[in-house]
Amino acid sequence: MSTTLPEYAELYCRSNFSFLQGASHAHELVQRAIALDYRALAITDECTLAGVVRAYAAWKEQFDKGRTQDFKLIIGSCFRFTGLEDEPAHPLAALTLVALARNREGYGNLSELITLARTRAAKGSYLLHPEDLSGPPPALSHLRALPDCQLILVPDYPADEETLDAQLRWFAPLAPGRSWVGITRLYRPLDDLHRAALEAATRRHGLPLAAVGDVQMHQRSRKYLQDVVTAIRLGQPVQECGHALAPNAEQHLRSRVRLGMVHTPATLAQTLAIAADCRFSLAELRYEYPDELVPLGMSAADYLRQQTLAGAAKRYPQGLPGGVREQIEAELALIAQKEYEAYFLTVYDLVQFARSRGILCQGRGSAANSAVCYCLGVTEVDPTSTRLLFARFISEKREEPPDIDVDFEHQRREEVIQHIYRKYGRRRAALAAAVHSYRPRGALREVGKALGVDAAIVDAVAKSQHWFDSREELLARFAEAGLDPELPQIGLWASITGKLLRFPRHLSQHTGGFVIARGQLSRLVPIQNAAMPERCVIEWDKDDLESLKLLKVDVLALGMLTALRRTLELVSLRRGLPEVMQMHAIPREDPATFEMICKADTIGVFQIESRAQMSMLPRMQPRTQYDLVVQVAIVRPGPIQGGMVHPYLRRRELVREGGSFDYPDNTSKSGKIKKVLERTLGIPIFQEQVMDVAIEAAGYSPSEADDLRRSMAAWKRKGGMGPHYERLVLGMTDNGYSREFAESIFKQIEGFGEYGFPESHAASFALLTYFSSWLKCHEPEAFLCGLLNSQPMGFYSPSQLIQDARRHGVQVLPANVVRSRWESTLELPSSAGARPAVRLGLSLLRSMPAEAAQRIEQARAQRPFADVDDLARRAGLDRPACRHWRQAMPCANWPATGARRSGMRWARCPTAICCAAPPGAMTPYNWTLPAKVTRSSTTTAP
């Protein structure tokens, strides 16, 4: 490090996770600070730690390259006392407080303070009072003065002497020995007066003065973008923002030469003193899963082994097949080595809870590679019957946590979520965040509005855009829309839009990724309120958690599981089974089921009901379970964009006709490609195959192949495929493969950026595809009921499902107020051996609220209805509803006792109030009305 330049640590810097304030990514700030030879950089986004993990990842990348030995990343945050909004003249309303974590304890205190401020307010805002630091309530007394944190008070510019004195009277005694006043020097007109006021006040109150930059961008060239995000935040064009815009571009990471010119040596030296005492690193975070799941006297490893072997005995009642025990032992050993036992037991506990409540669930994703997960009942894919690899799930060499995704019934997942909150409390459990970033259309709209472009032009241009990878491509799209790309305004619009892409816009909740801690979660990561009631969310998304090797469990919702559970209950009742039929009891490899699938008779079937899937089934002709795995995976945007579909179908037809083909190979005839792609006829369909091709043909290491997997899964959102092009194509050509083949492989890899399935995921979904197909084939009446009672779901409306069932000979009876329940049910036939009929439920009737249906059922259970007036009176139906029903055709079958033959109709179902059979002849099954009705669709039965 040069001795002629002043050393400096930037302690007040906001990234773009200070939403619509910062104009640079966290990694850009870190890289720039290292390039400028700073001693340290503090990421201090406003009341959040959402951006610190990305900064840490950038720092670690540079550290691994040997470039950061003398550079320190400091974790912090800044705050405004938002509790003083009603008192704008209050002196503490005119300051910013920067807090920097000195050690792990200080980080925990800072995280807890952010949690306190965020959970007091609605999503996206926070509420912090001066008393939270100077005199918190007893329950939060450990946060008084924020122990183990360095505090920097940054007064607003320009400083008023009276206001400043009041601020320092509050601040000086708050945290003696770790309190500073921050001074900014941004070449503004009153800089000298501001500095003089701060120097005089700090001398009076005995506080040191430290230089801070109030940084919001890594380079001054981002000033245009900073102005635009300010305009977006204020909701008005840039030209109307006035003094809300920064007067110059000084809020960037400045060179040390420039800093030496504007700050005194004493204030620069104080930045080094502050940084030297901040020793905390995110690498110190240690995540521990709950330990109360393990019985007393047992270790987590012993208990996991016990439950795994007990589950194996149930899965394999005839005895463990050869190799299964060895696979289980190998997995348990690796799980113990990685200390993941508590994680597996946590997932196992959730699955056990769901099963105890009769909630269907099934694990998917890479967990389907695991024999332990299969024996624990978490997944349903028998790993001994597939070619899946446990290393795709957990690897000794790959330092990343496992990811177990579990689907639950979509109508009952909330029960599992609330079980988590009840069991662990909101102090220990929260959902992961999802970072919503700017995509092309949104960025074009926001930037266009901020630049004052006519709204009609903004709308037309935004609607014409899908994706672009460079400013030149965007300008070409502008030209296609009739705009002159040579105009300076158009060039500026394109340039700023390109920079705003992938900027975080706001945080929302993950679809179901839970983080559950052994201790207080808010001391590990800040927690905030979600938009949904009864939800709380941490500030890190799944990528952040993965970077820090923190574990989450995904509690996801799947409508088909609801439909399957309801169908199996109906089948069990119809067949008189003593217990509800389980999915694993469904016969496998049933020829009639596959024959139905090959005919594309799959309306309502999971995953293969879309028109694209149905058009391919006759060509694909799936006859085995693995054929369904391929079928589920191949009709996806990834394989389609990668050009994999038609080559695979041609190969399949060729093989079916007795033909053969040659696998692509290199000059040495190694046969490596055949080994990887043989099961999919030489065409890479799954992500795992792409990784294997990179390893076998391009010389990738397993860790490099895993980086490739991450890149191809996220390149549409984040970019990053560029470095892999040369690495993959040159690697394959160097190993003797043709460039044409290498280019085709890379194109297919890019296709996976549009969404492609890993094989383990497709295998899990293919099971549900087969189960739903079997039920449609052999129990069509129960299957229709299950689908209708699980709405909304799938591609098809209830009307389309009913029409399809009728085409297959299913008798569908209309909704009937003296026969129907809220949900659709089965009615036994009058003759032995005949199929049951489906009685549509009242939930399918337009303008039928659940509460009214409940009152109808309760009144009907007491005695039959005499006439429509009796129905309306006893069921408490209001006059508008009765008036609506009287607008229709006559009902000749209504009981004659006291009836008035007035014309009427129930919604759009003309026989809804008819009685074709005596009221006592309802279904013999003891159907019970759910305590909580979740069906809310207004779809009308035909």
Side-chain angles (χ1 to χ4, degrees), residues 195-217:
R195 181 181 65 180
L198 263 60
E199 288 175 346
T202 53
R203 282 195 298 269
R204 287 195 300 272
H205 293 276
L207 289 170
L209 198 61
V212 293
D214 191 10
V215 172
Q216 296 187 23
M217 47 193 170

Side-chain angles (χ1 to χ4, degrees), residues 145-370:
L146 213 56
D148 292 292
C149 287
Q150 309 279 53
L151 302 180
I152 305 174
L153 184 148
V154 184
D156 282 0
Y157 172 93
D160 173 77
E161 183 175 345
E162 183 178 344
T163 299
L164 186 58
D165 270 337
Q167 293 172 352
L168 297 189
R169 281 197 300 271
W170 171 83
F171 183 64
L174 184 66
R178 50 186 181 88
S179 300
W180 285 261
V181 174
I183 179 172
T184 57
R185 299 278 288 168
L186 300 176
Y187 284 96
R188 292 171 291 191
L190 302 179
D191 271 2
D192 289 339
L193 292 177
H194 182 70
R195 181 181 65 180
L198 263 60
E199 288 175 346
T202 53
R203 282 195 298 269
R204 287 195 300 272
H205 293 276
L207 289 170
L209 198 61
V212 293
D214 191 10
V215 172
Q216 296 187 23
M217 47 193 170
H218 71 296
Q219 292 178 327
R220 65 186 313 115
S221 58
R222 286 289 172 89
K223 178 62 167 63
Y224 283 126
L225 181 58
Q226 185 193 27
D227 289 346
V228 165
V229 297
T230 300
I232 294 172
R233 186 178 76 248
L234 298 177
Q236 56 192 28
V238 171
Q239 55 266 36
E240 297 179 12
C241 290
H243 292 292
L245 302 178
N248 55 42
E250 289 299 303
Q251 287 179 280
H252 69 281
L253 293 173
R254 294 178 285 185
S255 68
R256 290 185 293 139
V257 172
R258 194 170 185 83
L259 290 168
M261 294 170 59
V262 298
H263 287 291
T264 65
T267 59
L268 294 173
Q270 287 295 331
T271 68
L272 304 180
I274 296 171
D277 205 27
C278 294
R279 298 177 296 275
F280 171 74
S281 168
L282 287 178
E284 298 177 37
L285 296 183
R286 292 291 179 268
Y287 185 57
E288 296 179 322
Y289 249 78
D291 56 0
E292 62 261 44
L293 302 174
V294 181
L296 292 176
M298 296 186 72
S299 67
D302 291 339
Y303 185 55
L304 179 61
R305 173 181 295 276
Q306 179 193 80
Q307 296 304 305
T308 300
L309 295 179
K314 295 178 181 178
R315 290 289 197 185
Y316 304 101
Q318 305 302 321
L320 289 178
V324 174
R325 181 176 292 277
E326 289 77 8
Q327 184 174 355
I328 290 174
E329 292 296 336
E331 291 186 18
L332 288 174
L334 186 55
I335 291 169
Q337 178 183 335
K338 296 287 188 178
E339 298 181 345
Y340 291 152
E341 297 97 337
Y343 175 67
F344 280 78
L345 291 173
T346 301
V347 178
Y348 173 64
D349 175 70
L350 295 181
V351 170
Q352 290 295 101
F353 167 79
R355 298 265 163 80
S356 70
R357 297 294 182 92
I359 302 172
L360 276 190
C361 59
Q362 176 177 296
R364 57 177 165 95
S366 59
N369 294 285
S370 169

Side-chain angles (χ1 to χ4, degrees), residues 608 612-613 616-617 620 622 626-635:
I608 56 172
Q613 288 277 9
M616 187 176 293
L617 286 170
M620 179 78 174
Y626 193 77
D627 287 346
L628 285 181
V629 175
V630 175
Q631 179 70 44
V632 165
I634 199 170
V635 186

Side-chain angles (χ1 to χ4, degrees), residues 400-413:
E400 70 175 43
D403 187 16
I404 300 180
D405 300 335
V406 185
D407 289 314
F408 297 86
E409 297 177 36
H410 76 306
Q411 290 181 350
R412 302 186 66 187
R413 181 180 71 137

Side-chain angles (χ1 to χ4, degrees), residues 69-119:
Q69 282 77 4
D70 297 326
F71 178 81
K72 181 184 294 186
L73 177 67
I74 299 173
I75 307 302
S77 185
C78 66
F79 306 89
R80 303 283 293 187
F81 287 124
T82 49
L84 303 174
E85 290 180 349
D86 296 334
E87 301 179 68
H90 195 291
L92 298 186
L95 63 83
T96 295
L97 185 67
V98 177
L100 309 174
R102 300 168 64 186
N103 49 40
R104 177 64 181 88
E105 186 67 18
Y107 171 84
N109 292 334
L110 177 61
S111 177
E112 198 171 348
L113 181 68
I114 295 173
T115 300
L116 172 67
R118 289 286 181 181
T119 53

